[in-house]
Structures are given as C-alpha cells and as structure tokens.
Amino acid sequence: MNDAMTQLYQQVILDHARERHGYGLVAPHAGESFQVNPTCGDEIRLRVHLDVTGTAPMIEKVSWEGVGCSISQASASVLTDLVRQVSVSEADQLAETFRALMNNRGRSLSAEQDEMLGDAAAFTGVAQYPARIKCALLGWMALRDALAHALTQGARPGEERDEQR
C-alpha cells in the first residue's frame, strides 16, 4: 500500500471493521435511525438505549447493523465505544468534533480534540477523500437522528420500544 492508502486505512480502522463493536440490534431501544449513503449504497440501522434516571439523559449503549465499506463499518464501531455511558450533550459534542475532523481535509485537530476522539482520530486521513467522508459520517448521522427520535418522544427506560420493523 502506498502512503496515502496506508493513511486512509489505519490499523485502527481495519481492526474496527473486522471486529465491529456494538454490532447487532438490541431491543428494546429508545430511538432508531436508518441511514443510507446515496453515493455508495452504504447502509446503517442504529439504535440508542438511554438511561433517563438521572438529571440528564445518558446513552447507555448503541447497537447497530449495517452493510458497506470498512470505513463506514469502522466508524460506527468506534462511535459505539465513544458514546457509551456519556450524556447526550457529550455525545453531541463528540459528533461535532468528529464532523470538524472530517471537514479538516486530512489535518489533525488540536491535541485536546484528538484525545477526545480517541480511536476516531484515526479517521484523519479519510478526510482527504471527499467520497469517503460521507461513509465515515453515516453512523454519526444515524446517532444524531436516533437521539432526536428518542428525546422528542420522551423515552423512559421502561418505555423503550420493542422491535419496530
């Protein structure tokens, strides 16, 4: 692989694409989203599981299934690890930071932001390829949509939805 391809497919991305964290839909759930990348056909169905017993809703976990390239699958896997047991506002901040990384044309963000992103910082090289940016953002878009559904419908742990297919 040449340097550009090496940068695109960092080992972290390859590992997450092979061993997808959070893969497999879990019921019940508080919110769900199905997203498709029209440019390449990648798909993801993502569910959020909330804990609303505290003062602010917390993401208990995320479960998902999808088909597509290793970048979209790895991004959803990394997302799953990053947002587990964080508040919805923290997850939104992570999503915005990841979006900023994708808009940074292959350059790293600040050291603090890279540290916040953890394994997601490995996607820095992906941002050099505009066609791949949508692949990397697919899971994050699904997360945002699923959270919007969950929060606007006032989900409570005992009221989470069962399968809705």
Side-chain angles (χ1 to χ4, degrees), residues 12-36 41-49 59-84 123 135-144 146 163 165:
V12 169
I13 294 172
L14 295 173
D15 289 347
H16 274 278
R18 283 188 210 114
E19 300 287 330
R20 296 171 282 185
H21 302 181
Y23 194 82
L25 295 173
V26 176
H29 58 282
E32 179 180 87
S33 177
F34 177 73
Q35 300 287 317
V36 176
D42 288 0
E43 297 178 359
I44 187 167
R45 180 176 304 279
L46 183 141
R47 291 179 176 171
V48 291
H49 308 267
I59 297 175
E60 187 176 289
K61 65 183 171 189
V62 170
S63 62
W64 63 279
E65 287 183 354
V67 293
C69 67
S70 59
I71 291 172
S72 70
Q73 302 296 288
S75 182
S77 177
V78 168
L79 171 160
T80 299
D81 291 345
L82 281 174
V83 301
R84 182 180 304 127
F123 289 83
C135 299
L137 288 172
L138 189 63
W140 294 91
M141 298 301 292
L143 174 66
R144 179 172 275 172
E163 294 290 326
R165 285 196 221 182

Side-chain angles (χ1 to χ4, degrees), residues 79-92:
L79 171 160
T80 299
D81 291 345
L82 281 174
V83 301
R84 182 180 304 127
Q85 300 297 323
V86 303
S87 71
V88 170
S89 63
E90 289 172 299
D92 191 48

